[in-house]
Amino acid sequence: MTTQTVTGLKGKHLLGIADLSAEEIGLILETAEAMKEVGARPIKKVPTLRGKTVINLFFEASTRTRTSFEVAEKRLSADTLNIAASTSSVVKGETLVDTALNLEAMAPDMIVMRHASSGACHLLARVCKSRIINAGDGMHEHPTQALLDAFTIREHKGRIGGLKIAIIGDLLHSRVLRSNLLLLGKLGAEVWVAAPPTLMPPDVERFGVHSTTSIDEAVRDADVVMMLRIQLERMQGNFFPSLREYFTVFGMTEERMRRAKPDVIIMHPGPMNRGVEIASEVADGPYSVILNQVANGVAVRMAVLFLLSGASEGDQL
Amino acid sequence: MPVVMDAARVERTIARIAHEIVERNRDLDQLALVGVRTRGVPIARRISEAVAAITGTRIPVGTLDITLYRDDLMRHTVGPQPVVHRTDIPFSIDDRRILLVDDVLYTGRTVRAALDALIDFGRPRSIQLVVLVDRGHRELPIKADYVGKNLPTSPRESVQVRLAETDGQDEVVVQEAHA
């Protein structure tokens, strides 16, 4: 495993993978190793963030990410508050900044936010004193997902550099894709992306990846296959004729998986649409690490919460 | 930079601690060593080997990282968080007699954190403290059961234990701390 050469994160916030160096990513993954052990203890709790308050501010639906952050916060003994947009003053017309400043008046230490608008976390970071953690902003980034994906790949393959990683599905609407491309690029993986032309981001090559409309080409000899969800809720217009046709051409089946390396692992950030982007036999197959991803999400988020709770270069002392 | 213990002295001291442990603990099967990262771990392993050489019984060794239990983590306004490493205790500590091992005993705050961490793993029958060097200046009511060397120091000095496993050679040195 890599040995990190940095001992802290430079930034105060975690807004995206774009801001992190390869060494900082290494530090987060190493720290997550230690955090994973905490989750395996009889008492799955350490006193590290005792007295710290973390607000989970979710303007978009989420089960996995919100629960995962909450479990991570509780395992570190932080006090947590959950605010869902549907039950907050947002429905009365309050702006994001006003909501944030009002929450901040109650002196939280960190705010974990998910929002439908790309860049919402950056806006919050400019007006708030609290540490901000991006739990997904629009179609922009979802950094903790990419970090837990990297952690899971490393756990199974021992490394990331040099692996062939195929990412397949609704690439256009995916913040998970963006964060993963940035991260896998920094750590030196060979990344292939596959999607129908209508769901391929026009500028995807600038991330240094191979793009194709052939799922078989992407999967051939892959070490890792990552499936992305068809995000019907973000689609305005017709991107493909029908879900059934999508599955026929771009769905991951056992047949297609055979083209990959024999020790391939298959990943999915969830929630899965079985029979749309992934066949049930594949999702539940022996090479599936989809539930490991969920388990590792807690450890990775604990690492991020812990590392951000220290002082950073940007602090005024 | 005065060397207060050389390699031969470190070796003899660890052998003496091993003998004391054998003398004072009738049932060696109930013992387990837990080393506090970083340098408590190789010392714990060497004690285990020394006890095995004397009695033929090998005492299991665990590794404890106390970073997440430190009382100064959230008080520092300068500097990043210390790096956390894995804790690895591959046995149940319930009803065991634990020998907690560290290199230097100073304020006692590390031992306090280690005790809190250990107790989260179960309920040992007892915990005894083993240190290679006791340099005084306690800030908490903590006392070692096995001491390699008592070393009177001034708070301005720093005591460094160096071990072959972590630093290339065995020695204990006292330095004037940089202000």
Side-chain angles (χ1 to χ4, degrees):
Chain A
M1 302 265 159
T2 53
T3 44
Q4 72 280 342
T5 52
V6 291
T7 56
L9 301 181
K10 278 205 293 292
K12 281 179 64 173
H13 313 287
L14 179 65
L15 303 177
I17 299 295
D19 309 323
L20 297 176
S21 67
E23 288 75 26
E24 289 176 301
I25 293 167
L27 174 66
I28 295 171
L29 300 183
E30 294 285 325
T31 306
E33 296 272 348
M35 296 300 183
K36 186 160 183 175
E37 183 272 320
V38 173
R41 295 180 188 179
I43 297 175
K44 304 177 191 52
K45 200 177 180 82
V46 287
T48 317
L49 295 189
R50 212 172 43 176
K52 298 279 166 183
T53 306
V54 185
I55 295 181
N56 300 312
L57 182 57
F58 278 66
F59 291 92
E60 264 194 336
S62 168
T63 350
R64 233 168 318 271
T65 305
R66 195 191 56 71
T67 314
S68 179
F69 266 111
E70 195 178 343
V71 172
E73 290 150 10
K74 292 198 150 91
R75 288 200 178 152
L76 291 172
S77 302
D79 295 316
T80 65
L81 284 103
N82 294 306
I83 299 169
S86 52
T87 58
S88 72
S89 291
V90 175
V91 295
K92 299 179 190 163
E94 192 175 54
T95 67
L96 172 60
V97 169
D98 282 334
T99 303
L101 291 177
N102 277 278
L103 292 174
E104 183 133 83
M106 300 177 220
D109 298 281
M110 290 191 245
I111 298 175
V112 176
M113 185 171 79
R114 166 168 290 188
H115 199 280
S117 297
S118 306
C121 293
H122 292 73
L123 173 65
L124 219 60
R126 279 200 297 277
V127 298
C128 290
K129 284 198 289 289
S130 317
R131 306 286 200 246
I132 308 295
I133 299 176
N134 184 355
D137 62 329
M139 297 189 286
H140 178 233
E141 278 226 46
H142 190 352
T144 57
Q145 178 70 42
L147 288 164
L148 76 88
D149 289 343
F151 184 88
T152 307
I153 295 170
R154 220 174 64 148
E155 189 173 62
H156 286 84
K157 300 288 172 193
R159 68 197 163 100
I160 288 173
L163 295 179
K164 178 174 177 181
I165 300 178
I167 309 179
I168 299 152
D170 183 351
L171 307 181
L172 185 64
H173 299 101
S174 178
R175 54 193 174 209
V176 175
L177 174 79
R178 221 159 300 266
S179 290
N180 260 307
L181 292 186
L182 288 164
L183 188 153
L184 296 171
K186 284 174 200 239
L187 297 192
E190 179 198 347
V191 182
W192 284 72
V193 296
T198 48
L199 291 176
M200 182 70 79
D203 54 347
V204 73
E205 266 100 8
R206 88 187 146 90
F207 289 101
V209 301
H210 309 272
S211 73
T212 171
T213 52
S214 157
I215 181 168
D216 292 335
E217 190 184 4
V219 171
R220 190 178 306 127
D221 294 324
D223 298 283
V224 177
V225 172
M226 197 183 286
M227 301 306 295
L228 298 179
R229 182 173 66 92
I230 291 298
Q231 304 195 35
L232 291 172
E233 77 279 14
R234 290 190 212 278
M235 289 187 187
Q236 292 157 351
N238 295 312
F239 289 85
F240 45 83
S242 70
L243 290 176
R244 220 165 119 187
E245 179 154 345
Y246 181 86
F247 180 70
T248 312
V249 184
F250 283 95
M252 185 51 68
T253 59
E254 282 196 311
E255 171 75 34
R256 288 191 167 128
M257 283 298 285
R258 284 194 206 108
R259 291 170 203 273
K261 290 226 177 94
D263 62 344
V264 67
I265 55 170
I266 184 140
M267 306 173 70
H268 193 303
M272 278 188 285
N273 294 314
R274 287 169 184 263
V276 179
E277 69 267 357
I278 188 165
S280 270
E281 309 87 78
V282 176
D284 305 329
Y287 35 62
S288 170
V289 297
I290 294 169
L291 293 177
N292 299 56
Q293 288 174 269
V294 179
N296 290 337
V298 174
V300 165
R301 290 177 175 117
M302 286 171 76
V304 168
L305 289 159
F306 169 72
L307 290 169
L308 285 181
S309 64
S312 75
E313 287 176 14
D315 280 339
Q316 293 186 328
L317 302 175
Chain B
M1 165 173 62
V3 175
V4 291
M5 289 172 87
D6 60 12
R9 182 81 188 273
V10 170
E11 194 188 328
R12 279 202 308 277
T13 304
I14 289 175
R16 199 199 72 227
I17 292 173
H19 275 104
E20 285 180 27
I21 289 170
V22 174
E23 262 172 40
R24 286 201 232 162
N25 296 274
R26 220 170 297 153
D27 214 343
L28 293 177
D29 295 339
Q30 290 187 2
L31 293 181
L33 288 150
V34 174
V36 177
R37 270 186 194 272
T38 304
R39 289 174 184 76
V41 181
I43 296 173
R45 292 212 180 98
R46 290 191 200 181
I47 291 173
S48 176
E49 277 163 31
V51 170
I54 301 164
T55 65
T57 305
R58 192 164 281 278
I59 305 176
V61 179
T63 298
L64 190 64
D65 187 293
I66 56 104
T67 311
L68 298 171
Y69 290 83
R70 279 170 60 157
D71 59 5
D72 56 352
L73 269 184
M74 300 302 154
R75 291 177 191 279
H76 283 309
T77 46
V78 283
Q81 298 288 37
V83 176
V84 198
H85 295 283
R86 257 184 104 88
T87 288
D88 183 20
I89 300 181
F91 44 81
S92 165
I93 72 165
D94 282 330
D95 292 325
R96 285 236 190 210
R97 296 187 186 278
I98 302 293
L99 296 159
L100 183 65
V101 184
D102 203 358
D103 57 350
V104 180
L105 179 58
Y106 182 27
T107 60
R109 288 178 192 269
T110 301
V111 174
R112 195 282 309 164
L115 291 173
D116 278 354
L118 264 182
I119 283 161
D120 279 357
F121 280 86
R123 187 177 186 280
R125 176 159 303 170
S126 66
I127 303 177
Q128 304 173 74
L129 178 60
V130 184
V131 297
L132 190 62
V133 176
D134 182 350
R135 62 167 293 190
H137 306 286
R138 217 76 76 233
E139 293 169 7
L140 296 172
I142 281 168
K143 184 168 169 293
D145 298 280
Y146 305 87
V147 180
K149 182 179 174 56
N150 281 300
L151 192 62
T153 57
S154 110
R156 288 200 324 280
E157 290 169 317
S158 101
V159 176
Q160 288 182 19
V161 170
R162 297 180 185 146
L163 299 168
E165 295 91 328
T166 48
D167 314 279
Q169 64 168 350
D170 286 357
E171 63 179 5
V172 179
V173 298
V174 178
Q175 284 177 304
E176 200 66 29
H178 318 285

